[in-house]
Amino acid sequence: MGSWYRSLRWRIQAWHAFILLLVVGLFGGMLQWEMTRAHWDSVDEELVSAARVLEGALRLAPISILDSLSQDIAMPPGPRLPAWKKEPANNTMRGPSSRPIRPMRPERNASIVPRSESLSERSAIDWGAITPGVSIPTSKEDWEKLLVLPDSLPQQLGRRESFTYFVIWRDDNTVLKQSAIPTMVSPPRDFVRQDLLRHRYVTTQRGEYREVFIRGPHNTLVCVGRSVVAEGDRIHSRLWGLLGIGIVTLALGLAGGWWLSRRAVEPIETMGKTASLISGANLSQRMDIANVDTELSQLGGVLNGMLQRIEQAFEQQQQFTADASHELRTPISSFLANTELALSRPRTVEEYQKHLSINLQSAQRMKRLVESLLAIARIDAPDHQLDKKTVDIMSLIQSVIASAEHKAVNRSITIECTGDSVTMEADEVSLGQVVLNLVENAIQYGKPGGKVNIRVFDEHELCRVTFEDDGIGISQEDCSKISQRFFRADPARSSHRGGFGLGLAFAKRVVELHGGTIAVCSSKGKGSVFTLSLPK
């Protein structure tokens, strides 16, 4: 077994884990970022709402009173609600739906618009707005009482556990008013005032305290802040919750991916086990593709087709070996029997000559068979190359007819060749052997005293040659088998006529190497027509 990183299943699982981790990480990170941003926006909204309380109180205050207000280090004593709006301390302000009323969310990049009117309309507490019909305070002490954050502010904002403080600066960064603050608040830097020219408010984080700055009337600057330790704890708690959910999701996804990868690889393992059972004695084994996915089913079909071709080739090889052994056994047996008979007793010269003549015929038959087998073995070799050159087909056929003339004369058969003069690129030796095999086949199985007609046709990019005889013919059933090696259709094509059933097999292979085809049309007792088609 190879290393794990070379395993298809492990690579599938690794890619699945990487993609799953990427998706879960990105989704969880974006969710955490969005929730954290929304949480801090909510805190900023609360602080801006508190700052608007102070802004509303400052808007109606005369400049002379603002200039005379002192810097209070702690929140002044006294009621936090105006006398004309006093309510019981245990009364939490609610809206029509019995839910705590929260200020409207400010828009960051909008222009600075006073919101004190809407705040007074939406809440039950009047934070600095002057009610019609009520006299406006004129003394510094009365304005100092208004310039505070109400005691009910934490309840109103839904933050009972946070201590809210404020600082108001004049234009020269001197403190106009401040509440009790948990830590020293430095005067605002220049960038804060510059940013407030473009935004409704500016937010800063100073340790555990979050502060917002807004522009007040008469070039004042209002800062409201509070501790956000509880918010930080909630954010971290939510982060750990998301991490836990992400880990569980990742674990479930990895388990599902491992199961899916196993399902994907299992058919391949089954095919491998099936292939390991295939041997020379068991070539009929096939891949089971009944319940396999489409892609693997196609692969299994290709492998089954390959196994089918291998089985057919193996059977043909076995049949070829058996047929060759059978063809060689007959002349060898005749040779040995005749030799033993000649040596069984002393004989005359004439008798020895007779036995030697019989042995010579047997040896010549074996020689022809061996030469045929060698010729087929050469053209079957994968590296066999045709020696092509320009060949005149008509001249080639005429020379073949001349070499086979004596056989035709012995059977009183006339050979006639007509047609077009065609030249083409071909292997003259092997193609001449093909023509000779077809001519001898027509002579051998033609009718004595009959005729063999050979016609050559020039058909554009194709040369077509027909060999027609009026002999015994071939049945339709055997026409598709005559190109098989050692096949003989009937006793009329038996070995006593000198054939081995290899000539047409050799001819078919040579024609295929030339890129052509060979076909036969025959009827029993009416002769045969062999058609040779070759590309020029």
Side-chain angles (χ1 to χ4, degrees):
M1 183 176 180
S3 302
W4 67 268
Y5 56 83
R6 296 186 62 85
S7 169
L8 177 61
R9 184 176 181 184
W10 274 104
R11 289 203 300 271
I12 293 175
Q13 181 68 11
W15 275 108
H16 174 77
F18 172 75
I19 294 174
L20 184 62
L21 180 63
L22 186 64
V23 171
V24 172
L26 289 176
F27 179 77
M30 292 177 63
L31 181 62
Q32 174 66 12
W33 179 83
E34 185 63 28
M35 294 174 66
T36 301
R37 186 182 65 83
H39 192 89
W40 288 122
D41 285 348
S42 176
V43 172
D44 294 342
E45 290 173 6
E46 296 170 0
L47 295 176
V48 169
S49 299
R52 293 302 180 193
V53 174
L54 299 173
E55 179 199 15
L58 288 170
R59 184 171 292 112
L60 298 177
I63 297 178
S64 58
I65 292 180
L66 291 179
D67 291 337
S68 62
L69 285 175
S70 62
Q71 175 179 335
D72 294 333
I73 302 304
M75 294 184 69
R80 295 296 182 264
L81 293 177
W84 58 86
K85 282 290 185 177
K86 188 73 174 183
E87 293 193 10
N90 60 353
N91 184 18
T92 301
M93 297 300 102
R94 300 278 177 172
S97 59
S98 299
R99 292 164 51 186
I101 294 177
R102 301 176 62 84
M104 295 290 289
R105 176 179 177 177
E107 298 180 0
R108 287 185 175 271
N109 296 325
S111 60
I112 301 177
V113 178
R115 307 292 291 186
S116 57
E117 296 85 351
S118 61
L119 288 172
S120 61
E121 290 173 1
R122 292 175 57 89
S123 62
I125 302 177
D126 190 346
W127 289 346
I130 303 302
T131 305
V134 180
S135 60
I136 299 175
T138 57
S139 66
K140 182 183 70 172
E141 290 76 12
D142 292 336
W143 280 110
E144 284 185 341
K145 293 178 181 179
L146 286 177
L147 204 59
V148 296
L149 294 177
D151 289 340
S152 58
L153 179 63
Q155 293 85 351
Q156 183 73 18
L157 300 180
R159 294 290 181 268
R160 300 173 183 271
E161 72 279 4
S162 299
F163 172 75
T164 306
Y165 60 90
F166 73 91
V167 181
I168 303 173
W169 288 279
R170 297 185 180 90
D171 189 28
D172 58 357
N173 286 341
T174 59
V175 177
L176 173 66
K177 181 77 173 181
Q178 75 176 25
S179 67
I181 56 177
T183 180
M184 182 61 64
V185 181
S186 302
R189 297 185 179 181
D190 292 338
F191 77 88
V192 174
R193 295 185 181 273
Q194 293 296 326
D195 288 345
L196 284 174
L197 296 176
R198 299 187 302 272
H199 306 291
R200 296 189 64 191
Y201 62 89
V202 175
T203 303
T204 61
Q205 184 81 29
R206 191 167 53 85
E208 66 179 66
Y209 300 98
R210 192 169 183 88
E211 299 170 343
V212 297
F213 296 82
I214 68 170
R215 296 181 64 186
H218 309 297
N219 292 326
T220 58
L221 189 66
V222 180
C223 171
V224 178
R226 70 177 175 87
S227 173
V228 288
V229 173
E231 280 73 11
D233 292 341
R234 279 192 288 270
I235 290 174
H236 284 89
S237 176
R238 187 167 56 229
L239 176 61
W240 283 110
L242 286 176
L243 286 175
I245 294 174
I247 291 173
V248 172
T249 303
L250 186 62
L252 293 176
L254 291 177
W258 184 255
W259 179 78
L260 287 176
S261 64
R262 180 178 177 275
R263 287 286 305 272
V265 175
E266 187 176 9
I268 300 177
E269 295 177 348
T270 303
M271 289 182 182
K273 292 178 181 178
T274 302
S276 65
L277 299 176
I278 298 174
S279 62
N282 183 27
L283 287 173
S284 60
Q285 189 77 26
R286 295 292 182 270
M287 306 293 177
D288 184 10
I289 57 176
N291 297 316
V292 181
D293 294 333
T294 303
E295 293 79 4
L296 294 179
S297 177
Q298 293 175 353
L299 174 62
V302 171
L303 293 176
N304 285 340
M306 179 191 68
L307 292 173
Q308 181 68 25
R309 293 190 296 272
I310 292 175
E311 184 179 14
Q312 291 176 354
F314 194 79
E315 290 177 351
Q316 291 175 357
Q317 187 68 27
Q318 288 181 325
Q319 186 64 37
F320 177 79
T321 304
D323 291 339
S325 301
H326 176 74
E327 292 293 339
L328 285 171
R329 183 175 60 182
T330 300
I332 291 175
S333 299
S334 175
F335 186 91
L336 293 175
N338 190 61
T339 302
E340 289 176 354
L341 179 61
L343 297 175
S344 62
R345 60 181 178 81
R347 298 182 182 276
T348 62
V349 175
E350 291 77 9
E351 290 176 332
Y352 280 121
Q353 289 177 344
K354 178 182 178 181
H355 287 293
L356 287 175
S357 177
I358 296 173
N359 285 349
L360 178 61
Q361 293 177 2
S362 299
Q364 288 176 341
R365 180 173 176 80
M366 285 189 291
K367 178 185 176 183
R368 290 195 304 272
L369 177 57
V370 171
E371 288 177 347
S372 299
L373 292 175
L374 287 175
I376 291 179
R378 281 195 298 269
I379 64 174
D380 278 344
D383 58 347
H384 179 72
Q385 298 292 330
L386 297 175
D387 184 17
K388 289 187 176 183
K389 58 184 179 180
T390 303
V391 178
D392 188 330
I393 300 299
M394 184 63 72
S395 299
L396 178 64
I397 295 175
Q398 293 291 350
S399 64
V400 170
I401 292 175
S403 65
E405 186 68 28
H406 66 285
K407 293 184 179 181
V409 171
N410 291 337
R411 304 203 65 212
S412 302
I413 293 178
T414 304
I415 303 177
E416 181 180 350
C417 180
T418 59
D420 306 322
S421 178
V422 181
T423 57
M424 59 178 294
E425 296 295 321
D427 187 332
E428 185 175 7
V429 176
S430 60
L431 189 59
Q433 186 63 44
V434 170
V435 174
L436 179 60
N437 288 344
L438 293 175
V439 171
E440 289 183 345
N441 186 76
I443 294 172
Q444 184 175 353
Y445 301 108
K447 186 184 299 183
K451 187 177 181 180
V452 175
N453 292 318
I454 303 176
R455 297 181 178 87
V456 181
F457 301 92
D458 186 359
E459 299 179 351
H460 301 291
E461 297 182 355
L462 193 69
C463 175
R464 185 162 57 87
V465 184
T466 61
F467 300 82
E468 182 178 0
D469 65 71
D470 54 359
I472 60 177
I474 309 170
S475 66
Q476 293 295 324
E477 181 182 356
D478 294 333
C479 281
S480 60
K481 302 178 182 179
I482 58 174
S483 60
Q484 296 179 6
R485 297 170 185 181
F486 295 106
F487 177 80
R488 286 187 288 269
D490 51 42
R493 294 176 176 263
S494 60
S495 59
H496 77 274
R497 292 186 179 234
F500 301 106
L502 295 175
L504 292 179
F506 175 84
K508 180 182 178 183
R509 178 59 181 163
V510 172
V511 171
E512 288 176 349
L513 290 176
H514 281 81
T517 59
I518 184 170
V520 59
C521 180
S522 181
S523 297
K524 195 73 172 177
K526 296 182 180 181
S528 304
V529 179
F530 286 83
T531 302
L532 184 65
S533 301
L534 294 169
K536 291 192 290 186

